[in-house]
Amino acid sequence: MTVDAVVEIANNALFLIIKVSLPILLVSLCVGLIVSIFQTATSIQEQTLTFVPKIVCVFLALAIVGGWMMTQMVEFTTQLWSNFSLYIHR
């Protein structure tokens, strides 16, 4: 296995991690921003107020895009295992 192959696998894995985690992180970021604006506008300074809406929205986002996320990860793993004979170098 060459260094180029290892770098390519690592590059693909990191890109997959970013691509799969992006929808959940964006939902969490948007909900946190909206709750923060609401807290600022109403002068409510309760720290735990952000957790419940974030958790609910993240679970909803996981329910919506969870299948796509799993499909992407399974395809990557299948590609790795199907090319396993190419990675073995004697």
Side-chain angles (χ1 to χ4, degrees):
M1 180 176 227
T2 64
V3 174
D4 293 334
V6 173
V7 170
E8 182 180 351
I9 292 170
N11 189 17
N12 290 340
L14 288 174
F15 180 70
L16 178 70
I17 291 168
I18 291 169
K19 184 170 70 170
V20 167
S21 65
L22 190 63
I24 304 303
L25 292 175
L26 283 176
V27 166
S28 179
L29 176 75
C30 291
V31 171
L33 182 64
I34 291 169
V35 171
S36 295
I37 290 171
F38 174 76
Q39 282 182 320
T40 302
T42 59
S43 298
I44 298 174
Q45 296 302 321
E46 180 64 33
Q47 295 296 324
T48 59
L49 184 64
T50 61
F51 292 120
V52 174
K54 272 188 186 179
I55 289 173
V56 170
C57 290
V58 164
F59 282 141
L60 287 174
L62 278 172
I64 293 169
V65 297
W68 171 79
M69 293 168 68
M70 185 58 75
T71 302
Q72 295 295 312
M73 291 185 286
V74 167
E75 285 177 4
F76 178 74
T77 305
T78 304
Q79 178 189 6
L80 275 180
W81 283 106
S82 65
N83 294 332
F84 192 72
S85 62
L86 300 175
Y87 304 140
I88 298 174
H89 187 265
R90 294 180 186 178

